[in-house]
Amino acid sequence: MKIAVIGQSLFGQEVYRCLREEGHEVVGVFTIPDKNGKVDPLGLEAEKDGVPVFKFPRWRVKGQALPDVVAKYQALGAELNVLPFCSQFIPMEVINAPCHGSIIYHPSLLPRHRGASAINWTLIHGDKKGGFTIFWADDGLDTGDLLLQKECEILPDDTVNTLYNRFLFPEGIKGMVQAVRLIAEGKAPRLPQPEEGATYEGIQKKETAKINWDQPAEVIHNWIRGNDKMPGAWTEACGQKLTFFNSTLNTAGLVPEGEALPIPGAHRPGVVTERGLVLFGNDDRMLLVKSIQLEDGKMIPASHFFRGEDNCALDLTEAELDIMEAVRSAWKRILPSIPEVEDSTDFFKSGAASVDIVRLVEEVKELCDGLELENEDVYMATTFKDFIQLLVRKLRGNNKESECIIDYVEKAVNKLTLQMPHQLFIGGTFVDAEGTKTYETINPTDGSVICQVSLAQVSDVDKAVAAAKDAFETGLWGKISARDRGRLLYRLADLMEQHQEELATIEALDAGAVYTLALKTHVGMSIQTFRYFAGWCDKIQGSTIPINQARPNRNLTLTRKEPIGVCGIVIPWNYPLMMLSWKTAACLAAGNTVVIKPAQVTPLTALKFAELTLKAGIPKGVINVLPGSGSLVGQRLSDHPDVRKIGFTGSTEVGKHIMKSCALSNVKKVSLELGGKSPLIIFADCDLSKAVQMVEEVTKMKIGNPLDRDTNHGPQNHQAHLQKLIEYCQRGVKEGATLVCGGNQVPRSGFFFQPTVFTDVEDHMFIAKEESFGPIMIISRFANGDVDTVLSRANATEFGLASGVFTRDISKALYVSDKLEAGTVFINTYNKTDVAAPFGGFKQSGFGKDLGEAALNEYLRVKTITAEY
């Protein structure tokens, strides 16, 4: 068909482009005149294609069509007028001229919300369903016959921008193309609009957007989001006009503690908190506003309202000065009416529109190699100087929004001055627990108190989950590309490497890990784990699947691997940082957010890790760390309705309880690495020197301060576990096993236990069936050559975490590895783990995998999508 496109904006540009791709002939484009030297995107695109472009300032005067304008239009011979987005009044002489008439796009489900501010009113009225209508133009205001409608769900925190970008823009373009296709095929319906349910609301303007505070919180929230970003809901407070943006009713776990903001007419004063400005409706319910625009036009985080002006400007390097000039050139191109872009030049006061924000953000991201930059950043720094300062802070990785005041505990240890966070880490901030509750974390080397650590309560779990949920659903984490996510994880790994001596020292101090081992394994493997999973971020892929075709049509079926949401990770005390890394790295690589509960007795490396995530630039709320008890924190995570996955390493007994709680709460996905009783089968034909460190050598191991470089074996982690090991050995002796060496506490301060060897252990004995979780070797004999019998004995346990076999006979080794019922089998080596190799148990040692590609599947869900065409 021959089509005339009448309209403007990026929406009009995309509709125009798609119609040409469909094979239609666009005989002319009618758009608005250039503004401040800027050409509308629709006109610009058509001019590139050589399509006639007309920029009439008006089509009629005093209600009468301008004859010369109508004549120029009629000369084109259009068969259909398509009005994708048009702010001008088009005379009926033009509307009715084509043989197929004219169709118009309207962003509401007509007859509801007729008028120019339909999207605003859809949100202001709290509609649960929204959408768009394509209708046949008539002489009324959005009253023509219906051709096509599509609807969508309105999300609780949708704004005009999010609803438009998520549905009305992309689906509206498709809808316009579909409508033209129906017309061309002679299948387009004309359904009279019902008058029942019809509404008309006027254009939303700044003067009409003042907030009425004598309403429930939900109504106020709808008013704010319905005016976000234009024209902006406002109130008067502190002697100036304040405009509110980014409102949410998601206040779970939010405590309204902070500085009061009196608001005339409000039911209660607002409260400026670390998460934003808390407001109250006349029903006493809370809503949270995250951004405030001051009367001078400057946009600030609501949490910063009472902070003074930041006069600390960064000194730029030569490279940063080059970037500044390149960005200045971009501003000049976008703002052609401004002769010079100076430090004080304001982007919006210089005539920039919403389309210009998108252009600036994309140009700067390309200039700065994919730097994380959002439209919101432009609103937060509207002058050129402020924008450059924001940009440089982001490039340096020290964006002021990510800065955090940390109350360190400092200790001079291992020729280092350790700075150790000791509070909860929630929403990117270190905070005290509810009621300022704390507990002592103990140095197992001498039993002394290292420091007081915040003890998380149930309300703290709710706050952390709310922060993680917000970060997942509306934060930057879910918006950045997978490659950018990987870049952040690489940066985190680099920071861990830069702080590896500090992390290893904290691990020795808090967990009793031998420093040299901690440096290589506890910390070293943690760094490797984050680097490994950083590389996976942009390689998580679905697949296309051939299915039976719905003849004569065809089908396309594909799968997408998506993040689950908020995950809870509960880790043990034996490898505090490494167990955290094994699970957290895969969880983050998949795109989830996380609440981590470290073991109560070893919280300090997890909290230091939290500090490094801030320095890495990982967005607030993505990672949260809650030291506390398993019965309180772990239980609440398992029960919480907003947590969608639990990853747990610990005892089988607790694992069973977690699994039950996850099932009863909301059928959470669960992965469990539980207890083990790992058989190591040593055949007579093995290399014995490789397989066994002789008992005499065990007695020569140096037991001592884990920070001493010649120490082989450090303390047990805590007093209760030391006592458990003593009782374990006493029971072995009582049942008749031979205690070759060890079995007792080392007579010195601290929680030291002698490396222990038992022989003549029979299968029915307690020590043969139960895990010690300590430096205790259990040795049992078997008849040489009786492979199947020893396999039967090795498998006669409910555990199946790991196992091993030593033999020079490779056929025997592979046969045994096939038959052993354990998640990991080592041949002629032991405990040789690698970040690329999955690790996890069978039977009551749990299910699910850490490490390797398999670990990603624990934190992903698969969605199947089938389309017919």
Side-chain angles (χ1 to χ4, degrees):
M1 280 192 300
K2 292 182 178 180
I3 295 174
V5 177
I6 305 173
Q8 63 207 67
S9 77
L10 285 173
F11 185 82
Q13 178 193 60
E14 290 301 310
V15 170
Y16 160 83
R17 183 182 296 163
C18 291
L19 290 176
R20 281 174 54 89
E21 290 175 355
E22 285 268 307
H24 299 291
E25 180 187 355
V26 177
V27 294
V29 164
F30 298 83
T31 188
I32 57 175
D34 298 351
K35 185 177 181 181
N36 296 324
K38 290 188 295 183
V39 181
D40 183 81
L42 170 57
L44 187 65
E45 187 77 13
E47 286 173 349
K48 289 179 183 177
D49 295 333
V51 173
V53 176
F54 303 87
K55 302 179 182 180
F56 302 135
R58 64 185 62 83
W59 291 73
R60 59 184 186 176
V61 175
K62 295 181 180 180
Q64 298 298 312
L66 296 172
D68 59 330
V69 170
V70 174
K72 288 178 182 178
Y73 163 80
Q74 290 176 335
L76 298 174
E79 299 171 319
L80 173 70
N81 291 331
V82 173
L83 286 72
F85 173 73
C86 183
S87 62
Q88 296 177 310
F89 287 100
I90 311 301
M92 293 307 296
E93 291 87 338
V94 172
I95 292 295
N96 294 330
C99 59
H100 292 295
S102 302
I103 60 170
I104 302 178
Y105 169 89
H106 185 79
S108 79
L109 297 174
L110 291 174
R112 191 162 172 79
H113 305 309
R114 293 169 176 164
S117 296
I119 312 176
N120 303 79
W121 289 104
T122 296
L123 298 172
I124 289 170
H125 282 280
D127 292 0
K128 303 302 181 185
K129 295 289 184 182
F132 63 84
T133 302
I134 297 166
F135 67 97
W136 300 95
D138 64 3
D139 58 357
L141 183 60
D142 305 329
T143 57
D145 292 345
L146 305 179
L147 191 162
L148 180 150
Q149 287 187 318
K150 289 190 179 180
E151 70 174 34
C152 69
E153 180 184 2
I154 305 294
L155 303 180
D157 292 340
D158 261 334
T159 64
V160 174
N161 282 355
T162 62
L163 178 57
Y164 184 73
N165 292 333
R166 187 183 77 250
F167 185 82
L168 298 176
F169 181 87
E171 295 303 319
I173 293 165
K174 297 175 188 175
M176 288 297 280
V177 174
Q178 182 183 353
V180 172
R181 189 182 302 138
L182 290 171
I183 294 169
E185 294 171 351
K187 299 177 181 178
R190 288 178 177 265
L191 306 174
Q193 281 195 41
E195 283 306 309
E196 183 180 352
T199 63
Y200 171 81
E201 296 94 359
I203 298 175
Q204 273 301 89
K205 299 179 180 179
K206 193 70 175 183
E207 56 266 28
T208 62
K210 186 175 182 180
I211 300 169
N212 172 12
W213 293 105
D214 191 21
Q215 301 179 99
E218 184 174 359
V219 177
I220 296 172
H221 163 68
N222 288 337
W223 183 261
I224 294 173
R225 70 188 183 119
N227 287 282
D228 184 347
K229 284 283 190 286
M230 292 296 291
W234 59 277
T235 192
E236 291 173 343
C238 292
Q240 63 174 313
K241 184 181 290 186
L242 303 179
T243 307
F244 296 149
F245 301 99
N246 295 335
S247 172
T248 179
L249 290 173
N250 181 10
T251 58
L254 175 61
V255 178
E257 294 177 350
E259 193 165 351
L261 175 63
I263 301 174
H267 182 64
R268 288 170 56 181
V271 182
V272 176
T273 73
E274 292 174 346
R275 285 176 58 185
L277 173 62
V278 177
L279 301 170
F280 298 89
N282 62 10
D283 56 355
D284 268 334
R285 286 189 61 199
M286 296 188 295
L287 62 145
L288 181 70
V289 165
K290 299 179 183 177
S291 302
I292 298 176
Q293 187 176 41
L294 306 180
E295 194 161 7
D296 64 4
K298 183 176 182 180
M299 186 87 77
I300 63 169
S303 58
H304 291 191
F305 182 75
F306 286 116
R307 297 187 188 180
E309 185 73 19
D310 179 22
N311 295 315
C312 182
L314 299 175
D315 292 325
L316 306 190
T317 65
E318 288 296 326
E320 289 165 348
L321 287 170
D322 291 340
I323 291 173
M324 180 181 74
E325 291 309 314
V327 174
R328 193 189 304 273
S329 297
W331 277 52
K332 287 180 180 178
R333 289 192 296 273
I334 296 170
L335 305 171
S337 63
I338 303 300
E340 282 298 326
V341 175
E342 301 175 344
D343 284 353
S344 60
T345 300
D346 187 285
F347 192 68
F348 296 103
K349 292 178 181 178
S350 300
S354 58
V355 65
D356 300 314
I357 300 171
V358 176
R359 181 179 170 187
L360 176 62
V361 167
E362 293 308 313
E363 284 201 33
V364 172
K365 285 167 70 174
E366 185 175 354
L367 177 68
C368 298
D369 194 26
L371 176 77
E372 298 153 33
L373 194 68
E374 293 187 283
N375 294 359
E376 197 70 26
D377 292 319
V378 184
Y379 287 108
M380 292 292 185
T382 60
T383 68
F384 182 73
K385 179 182 177 180
D386 288 346
F387 185 76
I388 292 298
Q389 289 284 310
L390 176 144
L391 190 62
V392 171
R393 290 184 190 279
K394 283 180 172 287
L395 287 167
R396 294 182 183 181
N398 65 342
N399 181 16
K400 288 189 71 65
E401 278 299 287
S402 299
E403 291 179 5
C404 178
I405 298 172
I406 303 175
D407 179 24
Y408 292 111
V409 171
E410 292 194 356
K411 283 190 177 293
V413 182
N414 199 26
K415 299 180 180 179
L416 298 169
T417 299
L418 300 181
Q419 290 188 313
M420 298 178 289
H422 62 100
Q423 298 167 290
L424 312 182
F425 184 66
I426 299 175
T429 306
F430 286 97
V431 294
D432 289 335
E434 178 73 21
T436 65
K437 293 190 176 181
T438 63
Y439 70 98
E440 297 175 344
T441 187
I442 305 297
N443 182 349
T445 300
D446 57 13
S448 64
V449 175
I450 302 171
C451 65
Q452 296 287 326
V453 176
S454 293
L455 181 67
Q457 305 299 300
V458 168
S459 60
D460 297 312
V461 180
D462 292 343
K463 293 175 189 175
V465 172
K469 186 172 186 284
D470 188 46
F472 180 78
E473 293 181 349
T474 66
L476 178 62
W477 188 245
K479 299 174 186 175
I480 62 175
S481 69
R483 194 158 296 162
D484 285 341
R485 190 164 68 240
R487 186 169 58 83
L488 288 173
L489 296 186
Y490 276 124
R491 187 187 298 169
L492 176 57
D494 291 344
L495 283 164
M496 292 170 71
E497 188 168 56
Q498 292 169 25
H499 291 262
Q500 60 183 332
E501 289 84 3
E502 191 175 5
L503 289 166
T505 302
I506 296 173
E507 202 95 321
L509 191 70
D510 196 32
V514 174
Y515 174 76
T516 51
L517 177 65
L519 199 59
K520 176 181 180 296
T521 304
H522 295 225
V523 179
M525 193 173 189
S526 298
I527 296 165
Q528 292 175 26
T529 303
F530 272 97
R531 285 194 174 132
Y532 173 81
F533 283 108
W536 266 111
C537 288
D538 60 356
K539 301 169 188 68
I540 298 171
Q541 302 168 349
S543 59
T544 56
I545 303 169
I547 67 169
N548 288 337
Q549 306 290 354
R551 296 178 181 175
N553 291 345
R554 300 177 65 80
N555 291 103
L556 172 66
T557 295
L558 55 91
T559 60
R560 289 182 56 187
K561 293 184 178 179
E562 300 178 341
I564 296 171
V566 179
C567 300
I569 289 178
V570 183
I571 54 177
W573 49 259
N574 57 334
Y575 290 94
L577 183 62
M578 193 171 80
M579 293 293 99
L580 178 153
S581 301
W582 281 20
K583 297 184 189 301
T584 304
C587 175
L588 296 177
N592 301 285
T593 57
V594 65
V595 180
I596 300 168
K597 194 208 88 63
Q600 186 171 352
V601 291
T602 55
L604 295 182
T605 43
L607 293 172
K608 189 66 182 180
F609 167 82
E611 179 194 346
L612 296 182
T613 68
L614 283 179
K615 293 183 177 181
I618 291 177
K620 294 179 179 182
V622 172
I623 296 171
N624 305 271
V625 180
L626 300 180
S629 70
S631 59
L632 213 63
V633 178
Q635 184 64 56
R636 179 55 180 157
L637 284 173
S638 301
D639 292 337
H640 203 292
D642 290 332
V643 176
R644 294 296 172 186
K645 160 70 196 273
I646 291 288
F648 172 75
T649 295
S651 71
T652 298
E653 179 185 5
V654 174
K656 289 179 178 179
H657 184 77
I658 285 175
M659 191 173 176
K660 181 179 179 181
S661 297
C662 290
L664 292 176
S665 57
N666 59 347
V667 196
K668 290 177 179 64
K669 190 172 184 178
V670 187
S671 56
L672 304 171
E673 186 207 312
L674 307 177
K677 190 64 178 175
S678 304
L680 174 59
I681 303 172
I682 302 174
F683 288 99
D685 63 352
C686 76
D687 180 350
L688 199 62
S689 64
K690 186 177 181 181
V692 181
Q693 185 176 20
M694 300 306 292
V695 171
E696 290 84 357
E697 296 299 316
V698 172
T699 61
K700 295 176 184 178
M701 293 175 69
K702 181 185 174 183
I703 303 170
N705 189 329
L707 290 170
D708 292 345
R709 300 309 191 259
D710 59 347
T711 293
N712 302 115
H713 190 70
Q716 299 307 298
N717 180 262
H718 49 282
Q719 178 66 52
H721 187 63
L722 173 64
Q723 187 59 40
K724 177 185 172 184
L725 295 181
I726 294 170
E727 294 170 358
Y728 185 93
C729 291
Q730 291 171 345
R731 185 160 180 178
V733 171
K734 184 177 180 180
E735 290 185 342
T738 300
L739 178 62
V740 177
C741 62
N744 291 300
Q745 181 176 359
V746 177
R748 57 171 291 173
S749 62
F751 311 139
F752 292 87
F753 187 79
Q754 299 167 340
T756 299
V757 177
F758 277 102
T759 60
D760 303 320
V761 179
E762 298 180 11
D763 292 359
H764 68 275
M765 293 180 178
F766 175 82
I767 62 173
K769 295 185 292 183
E770 295 297 325
E771 181 181 25
S772 68
F773 216 59
I776 300 173
M777 176 65 73
I778 307 300
I779 300 176
S780 302
R781 296 178 178 272
F782 64 92
N784 187 30
D786 194 353
V787 176
D788 288 328
T789 299
V790 74
L791 277 169
S792 178
R793 291 174 62 193
N795 289 331
T797 173
E798 275 300 300
F799 298 112
L801 187 59
S803 60
V805 55
F806 278 84
T807 177
R808 286 189 171 93
D809 185 339
I810 189 63
S811 295
K812 184 193 297 180
L814 293 174
Y815 177 80
V816 170
S817 69
D818 286 345
K819 298 297 183 181
L820 281 170
E821 297 172 359
T824 298
V825 180
F826 299 103
I827 297 176
N828 293 330
T829 187
Y830 204 78
N831 215 19
K832 174 66 176 175
T833 54
D834 186 89
V835 295
F839 184 85
F842 293 170
K843 299 188 287 189
Q844 291 197 44
S845 287
F847 51 83
K849 297 295 181 182
D850 292 324
L851 305 179
E853 182 183 1
L856 290 168
N857 295 326
E858 306 299 330
Y859 298 94
L860 293 165
R861 61 186 183 187
V862 177
K863 177 181 288 182
T864 302
I865 301 169
T866 298
E868 191 165 308
Y869 60 98

